[in-house]
Structures are given as structure tokens and as C-alpha cells.
Amino acid sequence: MSESRVALVTGGSRGIGRKIAERFAKEGYNLVINYVSDNTNIDEISNEIKGDSNIEILFVKADVTSFESCENMVKEAMDKFGRIDVLVNNAGITKDGLLMRMQEDDFTRVIDVNLKGTFNVTKNVIPYMMKQRYGKIINISSVVGETGNAGQANYAASKAGIIGFTKSVAKELASRNILANCVAPGFIKTDMTDVLSDSVKESINAQIPLKKMGTAEEVANAVYFLGNEENTYITGQVLNVNGGMLM
Ligand code: NAP
């Protein structure tokens, strides 16, 4: 590899996305880190991820629900680095509630961020990957996209949709040497699961064969496995990282 490869991670400011960014940084990838919140401390994140390395990081504030913002983000990334080798669609939210009580906005917003956001970024990145004749796309789904979950009809639908989307992209782009896969985490310790009560966490742990929630690093390792140059023959797959919740 004559020049450093580039990985774009949506929602890379914290949680799983942050650990994915760190994993690629550790391997010498330059990074495009997307986030949306105003209170994100870019300097602190940048220093922590870079450490002593020579990698470069471009931070882009963009709401993945906006196609235009995603288009601008990808253009900015191309202007800076001239290539995007790895795309990780990680940005995601939950708005849980039983269907009986779920508001239309809660359904629409979750689909917009998780599924439409994945489309918005992927659609803008693939022309460049096609020209490069190289690309790795990893979309973050969830175990509940495969099993369903009471109280998460919106979220489970978005994550199941991501699996169908990924398999279609994998079929369309295989001839251009672009490999697309999903990583489907189970319950992982992040801000997203910190909101759960201790009793809910205990009952979740009891259902996991490994009897504990996973870490963001464990998900990041799976993403790197699919996204690195040595993966030349795995595409259209769902890699489960869930402590054995689904076998
Ligand atoms: P998290 O800690 O809540 O972090 C979410 C990330 O997404 C943040 O970086 C946030 O950016 C970003 N984000 C949210 N809305 C966005 C938007 N509209 N545009 C751009 N970025 C946006 O969540 P996490 O637990 O790390 O989850 C990461 C991914 O893994 C999600 O897709 C989630 O569904 C999936 N997942 C998580 C678990 C779990 O147990 N934690 C399990 C299965 C799947 P800001 O920092 O700027 O707000």
C-alpha cells in the first residue's frame, strides 16, 4: 500500500463507533470521523485516538438523515484524502416503546437515522469506491434485527432493513471488488445500554450464554476483521458478536 488507507466511521465520536475508529487508527488508517452533537470535544477525541501515531483525522459534523449533508461530508473527505477505502455505517439511535404506545415520530426517526442514514452515506461513497475498484462497507446491524424484540419494533425493523440493504449492495458491487457485510452486536456496554435499569441489565445478562454484556472493543475487532485488506472473500454476511445470544 503506497499511501495510507482511509476509513470513514459514522457516529465515530463515542461508543462502538469510537472504538472502531481507534482500531483502524491503530493499524495506520487515516480517519474520517462523523458525529452530530454540538458538545463533541473534537480536540480531546483527536488526541486520544492519534496518540503517538502519524495518522490524520478529519472530523465532519453531519446528520446522517440529511442526504445533502452526507454528500458534502463525502466530498470533504475526498478533498482531504483523495480516497475512501472503508465505510462503517455505525450511527444509530433507539426510541423504544411497545407498539401500542409507539408514536409515529419514534418510528420514523429511528428508520431515518439507522436505515436511511446508512443509504445516504453509502450512496455517496460508492462512486469513489467503484472508481478505486476497492472498498469495504461494514454496516452495524443488531441481534434484534434478526430476532425481533418487544419494545423495539422501530429499531428491529431498521436493523433488519440494514441486513437486506447490505446483501443487495454486496451483490451489486462484488464485480467492482467492493465487499459489504454486517456486524450484528448483541448487548454492548455503551451510552445506549447505560440507560437500562440494573434489573433489566441483570435479566439481559442471564439470557446471554457468556453471562455478560460485550465491549465496544469486541465489536470493533469484528469490524476490523471484515474491513481490513486481508478480507478478500467474505461478502454479504452477518457477523454476530453477541456472547452466544443467537446460534
Ligand atoms: P451510542 O453510544 O449511543 O453512540 C451513537 C453514535 O451515533 C454517536 O457517535 C452519535 O453521535 C451518533 N449519531 C446518532 N445519531 C446520529 C445522526 N443523526 N447523525 C450522525 N451521527 C449520529 O451508541 P452505540 O451503542 O455505540 O451504538 C453504535 C451502533 O451500534 C448503533 O448503530 C447501534 O444501533 C448499534 N448497536 C448497539 C448495541 C449496544 O448494545 N450498544 C447493540 C447492537 C447494535 P454524537 O456523539 O454526535 O451524538
Side-chain angles (χ1 to χ4, degrees):
M1 187 168 76
S2 53
E3 55 183 324
S4 282
R5 291 219 183 266
V6 179
L8 188 165
V9 184
T10 69
S13 48
R14 56 196 167 92
I16 292 171
R18 166 75 170 271
K19 292 298 168 191
I20 293 169
E22 286 178 11
R23 186 71 173 85
F24 279 93
K26 201 174 124 194
E27 307 293 340
Y29 283 63
N30 289 323
L31 295 172
V32 183
I33 295 185
N34 156 257
Y35 65 98
V36 73
S37 298
D38 289 329
N39 54 8
T40 304
N41 190 336
I42 292 173
D43 292 336
E44 191 181 299
I45 298 172
S46 180
N47 289 336
E48 282 181 17
I49 294 184
K50 273 186 186 165
D52 296 333
S53 72
N54 294 323
I55 65 150
E56 289 188 77
I57 307 179
L58 171 69
F59 286 87
V60 186
K61 183 172 183 290
D63 186 332
V64 295
T65 63
S66 160
F67 188 85
E68 196 186 348
S69 299
C70 293
E71 191 175 17
N72 291 336
M73 169 169 69
V74 171
K75 276 190 191 140
E76 223 183 298
M78 288 303 296
D79 285 347
K80 176 154 179 71
F81 292 120
R83 56 187 306 124
I84 298 171
D85 300 287
V86 180
L87 166 62
V88 185
N89 284 302
N90 163 81
I93 59 164
T94 52
K95 283 190 182 292
D96 297 350
L98 294 173
L99 190 55
M100 279 292 285
R101 286 196 282 269
M102 188 177 285
Q103 301 297 308
E104 187 185 356
D105 279 355
D106 295 339
F107 190 87
T108 309
R109 181 71 189 161
V110 168
I111 297 290
D112 269 359
V113 175
N114 298 3
L115 183 56
K116 175 73 171 10
T118 297
F119 163 81
N120 286 343
V121 185
T122 308
K123 166 86 178 152
N124 282 297
V125 165
I126 59 166
Y128 301 108
M129 286 186 168
M130 287 167 83
K131 265 192 213 136
Q132 290 167 189
R133 298 229 165 223
Y134 182 92
K136 301 280 158 59
I137 300 170
I138 300 100
N139 296 327
I140 307 302
S141 178
S142 166
V143 65
V144 307
E146 300 170 277
T147 62
N149 195 24
Q152 291 198 305
N154 50 359
Y155 183 76
S158 73
K159 294 299 182 179
I162 285 173
I163 294 173
F165 177 79
T166 305
K167 291 181 177 181
S168 305
V169 169
K171 285 187 174 172
E172 286 185 26
L173 299 178
S175 63
R176 305 298 181 103
N177 193 30
I178 298 168
L179 281 56
N181 291 286
C182 283
V183 167
F187 287 90
I188 308 298
K189 272 180 274 176
T190 67
D191 294 346
M192 191 177 267
T193 48
D194 274 353
V195 295
L196 302 171
S197 68
D198 285 347
S199 65
V200 171
K201 282 182 195 162
E202 270 172 37
S203 84
I204 287 171
N205 288 346
Q207 294 163 42
I208 303 171
L210 287 176
K211 297 291 173 218
K212 58 181 179 186
M213 285 197 186
T215 64
E217 287 88 346
E218 286 165 334
V219 179
N221 286 339
V223 172
Y224 184 73
F225 168 72
L226 292 168
N228 87 90
E229 282 175 62
E230 286 183 11
N231 173 23
T232 48
Y233 208 56
I234 304 172
T235 194
Q237 303 303 309
V238 180
L239 179 52
N240 293 307
V241 183
N242 59 28
M245 276 183 81
L246 175 70
M247 297 189 184

